[in-house]
C-alpha cells in the first residue's frame, strides 16, 4: 500500500518543473502589472470576483 503513495523520480521532477514555471509566470505577470498578485485568502476573493463580480460570500448567500 505504501508503494502506491510514493512518488516516482519522474513525478517529482515534473512537479518541480511545474512549480518553477508557475513561479516564473507569476513573476512575469507581477512585473507587467506593476504590483504583486494577491496571495492566500485575498487571491481567493480576487479570483472569485473576477468571474462574475460577486464575492464568494455573496455567492453562498444566494
Amino acid at each position: 500500500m505504501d508503494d502506491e503513495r510514493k512518488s516516482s523520480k519522474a513525478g517529482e521532477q515534473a512537479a518541480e518543473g511545474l512549480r518553477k514555471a508557475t513561479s516564473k509566470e507569476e513573476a512575469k505577470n507581477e512585473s507587467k502589472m506593476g504590483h504583486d498578485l494577491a496571495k492566500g485568502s485575498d487571491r481567493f476573493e480576487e479570483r472569485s470576483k473576477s468571474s462574475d463580480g460577486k464575492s464568494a460570500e455573496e455567492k453562498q448567500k444566494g
Side-chain angles (χ1 to χ4, degrees):
M1 187 89 169
D2 288 336
D3 290 337
E4 293 177 14
R5 295 186 182 167
K6 289 183 181 177
S7 59
S8 67
K9 292 288 183 193
E12 289 175 10
Q13 290 173 346
E16 182 62 26
L18 182 58
R19 281 190 289 272
K20 287 180 181 178
T22 302
S23 178
K24 184 177 179 181
E25 182 71 20
E26 185 175 273
K28 184 173 84 174
N29 287 334
E30 288 176 343
S31 175
K32 190 186 304 183
M33 292 170 50
H35 61 82
D36 290 349
L37 294 171
K39 306 289 191 274
S41 61
D42 292 337
R43 186 175 186 126
F44 176 81
E45 285 299 324
E46 177 184 281
R47 297 294 179 245
S48 176
K49 286 183 182 180
S50 70
S51 65
D52 62 5
K54 295 181 181 178
S55 71
E57 185 177 352
E58 291 171 327
K59 290 178 186 179
Q60 287 179 347
K61 287 182 178 177

